[in-house]
PDB file of all heavy atoms in Angstrom:
ATOM      1  N   MET S  24     -41.544 -12.624  20.894  1.00  0.00           N
ATOM      2  CA  MET S  24     -40.272 -12.642  21.633  1.00  0.00           C
ATOM      3  C   MET S  24     -39.060 -12.421  20.732  1.00  0.00           C
ATOM      4  O   MET S  24     -37.935 -12.324  21.234  1.00  0.00           O
ATOM      5  CB  MET S  24     -40.105 -13.975  22.356  1.00  0.00           C
ATOM      6  CG  MET S  24     -41.116 -14.215  23.439  1.00  0.00           C
ATOM      7  SD  MET S  24     -40.828 -15.840  24.200  1.00  0.00           S
ATOM      8  CE  MET S  24     -42.327 -16.045  25.133  1.00  0.00           C
ATOM      9  N   GLY S  25     -39.249 -12.360  19.417  1.00  0.00           N
ATOM     10  CA  GLY S  25     -38.106 -12.216  18.515  1.00  0.00           C
ATOM     11  C   GLY S  25     -38.522 -11.718  17.155  1.00  0.00           C
ATOM     12  O   GLY S  25     -39.676 -11.361  16.923  1.00  0.00           O
ATOM     13  N   ASP S  26     -37.571 -11.704  16.234  1.00  0.00           N
ATOM     14  CA  ASP S  26     -37.810 -11.167  14.891  1.00  0.00           C
ATOM     15  C   ASP S  26     -38.326 -12.207  13.911  1.00  0.00           C
ATOM     16  O   ASP S  26     -39.111 -11.901  13.026  1.00  0.00           O
ATOM     17  CB  ASP S  26     -36.520 -10.564  14.326  1.00  0.00           C
ATOM     18  CG  ASP S  26     -36.051  -9.360  15.122  1.00  0.00           C
ATOM     19  OD1 ASP S  26     -36.905  -8.682  15.730  1.00  0.00           O
ATOM     20  OD2 ASP S  26     -34.841  -9.105  15.150  1.00  0.00           O
ATOM     21  N   GLU S  27     -37.855 -13.432  14.023  1.00  0.00           N
ATOM     22  CA  GLU S  27     -38.239 -14.495  13.103  1.00  0.00           C
ATOM     23  C   GLU S  27     -38.599 -15.724  13.925  1.00  0.00           C
ATOM     24  O   GLU S  27     -37.860 -16.102  14.824  1.00  0.00           O
ATOM     25  CB  GLU S  27     -37.079 -14.836  12.165  1.00  0.00           C
ATOM     26  CG  GLU S  27     -37.391 -15.970  11.212  1.00  0.00           C
ATOM     27  CD  GLU S  27     -36.185 -16.416  10.387  1.00  0.00           C
ATOM     28  OE1 GLU S  27     -35.042 -16.228  10.837  1.00  0.00           O
ATOM     29  OE2 GLU S  27     -36.410 -16.972   9.311  1.00  0.00           O
ATOM     30  N   LEU S  28     -39.725 -16.345  13.587  1.00  0.00           N
ATOM     31  CA  LEU S  28     -40.171 -17.524  14.329  1.00  0.00           C
ATOM     32  C   LEU S  28     -39.984 -18.784  13.498  1.00  0.00           C
ATOM     33  O   LEU S  28     -40.607 -18.947  12.448  1.00  0.00           O
ATOM     34  CB  LEU S  28     -41.640 -17.396  14.734  1.00  0.00           C
ATOM     35  CG  LEU S  28     -42.247 -18.610  15.445  1.00  0.00           C
ATOM     36  CD1 LEU S  28     -41.483 -18.939  16.727  1.00  0.00           C
ATOM     37  CD2 LEU S  28     -43.723 -18.380  15.720  1.00  0.00           C
ATOM     38  N   VAL S  29     -39.118 -19.663  13.988  1.00  0.00           N
ATOM     39  CA  VAL S  29     -38.947 -20.991  13.407  1.00  0.00           C
ATOM     40  C   VAL S  29     -39.561 -21.974  14.399  1.00  0.00           C
ATOM     41  O   VAL S  29     -39.251 -21.938  15.596  1.00  0.00           O
ATOM     42  CB  VAL S  29     -37.455 -21.330  13.167  1.00  0.00           C
ATOM     43  CG1 VAL S  29     -37.315 -22.740  12.602  1.00  0.00           C
ATOM     44  CG2 VAL S  29     -36.823 -20.306  12.231  1.00  0.00           C
ATOM     45  N   VAL S  30     -40.427 -22.837  13.902  1.00  0.00           N
ATOM     46  CA  VAL S  30     -41.109 -23.809  14.752  1.00  0.00           C
ATOM     47  C   VAL S  30     -40.589 -25.205  14.441  1.00  0.00           C
ATOM     48  O   VAL S  30     -40.561 -25.613  13.284  1.00  0.00           O
ATOM     49  CB  VAL S  30     -42.636 -23.753  14.558  1.00  0.00           C
ATOM     50  CG1 VAL S  30     -43.332 -24.781  15.438  1.00  0.00           C
ATOM     51  CG2 VAL S  30     -43.161 -22.353  14.857  1.00  0.00           C
ATOM     52  N   ILE S  31     -40.181 -25.904  15.489  1.00  0.00           N
ATOM     53  CA  ILE S  31     -39.739 -27.286  15.363  1.00  0.00           C
ATOM     54  C   ILE S  31     -40.907 -28.185  15.740  1.00  0.00           C
ATOM     55  O   ILE S  31     -41.395 -28.145  16.871  1.00  0.00           O
ATOM     56  CB  ILE S  31     -38.530 -27.576  16.271  1.00  0.00           C
ATOM     57  CG1 ILE S  31     -37.364 -26.643  15.932  1.00  0.00           C
ATOM     58  CG2 ILE S  31     -38.121 -29.046  16.150  1.00  0.00           C
ATOM     59  CD1 ILE S  31     -36.227 -26.691  16.943  1.00  0.00           C
ATOM     60  N   VAL S  32     -41.358 -28.976  14.782  1.00  0.00           N
ATOM     61  CA  VAL S  32     -42.480 -29.884  14.994  1.00  0.00           C
ATOM     62  C   VAL S  32     -41.916 -31.255  15.364  1.00  0.00           C
ATOM     63  O   VAL S  32     -41.091 -31.827  14.641  1.00  0.00           O
ATOM     64  CB  VAL S  32     -43.362 -29.966  13.727  1.00  0.00           C
ATOM     65  CG1 VAL S  32     -44.485 -30.982  13.911  1.00  0.00           C
ATOM     66  CG2 VAL S  32     -43.931 -28.581  13.400  1.00  0.00           C
ATOM     67  N   ALA S  33     -42.355 -31.764  16.489  1.00  0.00           N
ATOM     68  CA  ALA S  33     -41.825 -33.021  17.023  1.00  0.00           C
ATOM     69  C   ALA S  33     -42.151 -34.219  16.137  1.00  0.00           C
ATOM     70  O   ALA S  33     -43.254 -34.336  15.607  1.00  0.00           O
ATOM     71  CB  ALA S  33     -42.383 -33.269  18.423  1.00  0.00           C
ATOM     72  N   ARG S  34     -41.178 -35.085  16.025  1.00  0.00           N
ATOM     73  CA  ARG S  34     -41.379 -36.378  15.358  1.00  0.00           C
ATOM     74  C   ARG S  34     -42.099 -37.302  16.344  1.00  0.00           C
ATOM     75  O   ARG S  34     -41.941 -37.165  17.569  1.00  0.00           O
ATOM     76  CB  ARG S  34     -40.032 -37.004  14.994  1.00  0.00           C
ATOM     77  CG  ARG S  34     -39.163 -36.152  14.128  1.00  0.00           C
ATOM     78  CD  ARG S  34     -39.391 -36.444  12.695  1.00  0.00           C
ATOM     79  NE  ARG S  34     -38.371 -35.764  11.894  1.00  0.00           N
ATOM     80  CZ  ARG S  34     -38.156 -36.043  10.646  1.00  0.00           C
ATOM     81  NH1 ARG S  34     -38.857 -36.987  10.049  1.00  0.00           N
ATOM     82  NH2 ARG S  34     -37.243 -35.391   9.962  1.00  0.00           N
ATOM     83  N   PRO S  35     -42.870 -38.256  15.863  1.00  0.00           N
ATOM     84  CA  PRO S  35     -43.573 -39.174  16.772  1.00  0.00           C
ATOM     85  C   PRO S  35     -42.632 -39.885  17.750  1.00  0.00           C
ATOM     86  O   PRO S  35     -43.003 -40.123  18.900  1.00  0.00           O
ATOM     87  CB  PRO S  35     -44.253 -40.172  15.835  1.00  0.00           C
ATOM     88  CG  PRO S  35     -44.431 -39.427  14.557  1.00  0.00           C
ATOM     89  CD  PRO S  35     -43.230 -38.505  14.459  1.00  0.00           C
ATOM     90  N   THR S  36     -41.416 -40.201  17.316  1.00  0.00           N
ATOM     91  CA  THR S  36     -40.470 -40.897  18.191  1.00  0.00           C
ATOM     92  C   THR S  36     -40.021 -40.037  19.364  1.00  0.00           C
ATOM     93  O   THR S  36     -39.535 -40.566  20.355  1.00  0.00           O
ATOM     94  CB  THR S  36     -39.227 -41.354  17.401  1.00  0.00           C
ATOM     95  OG1 THR S  36     -38.655 -40.225  16.734  1.00  0.00           O
ATOM     96  CG2 THR S  36     -39.586 -42.421  16.381  1.00  0.00           C
ATOM     97  N   ASN S  37     -40.182 -38.710  19.246  1.00  0.00           N
ATOM     98  CA  ASN S  37     -39.790 -37.818  20.325  1.00  0.00           C
ATOM     99  C   ASN S  37     -40.935 -37.497  21.282  1.00  0.00           C
ATOM    100  O   ASN S  37     -40.735 -36.818  22.277  1.00  0.00           O
ATOM    101  CB  ASN S  37     -39.219 -36.506  19.770  1.00  0.00           C
ATOM    102  CG  ASN S  37     -37.994 -36.721  18.915  1.00  0.00           C
ATOM    103  OD1 ASN S  37     -37.984 -36.348  17.755  1.00  0.00           O
ATOM    104  ND2 ASN S  37     -36.976 -37.344  19.466  1.00  0.00           N
ATOM    105  N   VAL S  38     -42.124 -37.964  20.963  1.00  0.00           N
ATOM    106  CA  VAL S  38     -43.292 -37.690  21.808  1.00  0.00           C
ATOM    107  C   VAL S  38     -43.468 -38.876  22.747  1.00  0.00           C
ATOM    108  O   VAL S  38     -44.109 -39.868  22.411  1.00  0.00           O
ATOM    109  CB  VAL S  38     -44.561 -37.461  20.953  1.00  0.00           C
ATOM    110  CG1 VAL S  38     -45.766 -37.183  21.845  1.00  0.00           C
ATOM    111  CG2 VAL S  38     -44.339 -36.325  19.970  1.00  0.00           C
TER     112      VAL S  38
END
Side-chain angles (χ1 to χ4, degrees):
M24 295 179 193
D26 295 332
E27 178 187 26
L28 176 59
V29 178
V30 179
I31 302 169
V32 176
R34 303 268 190 166
T36 55
N37 300 121
V38 180

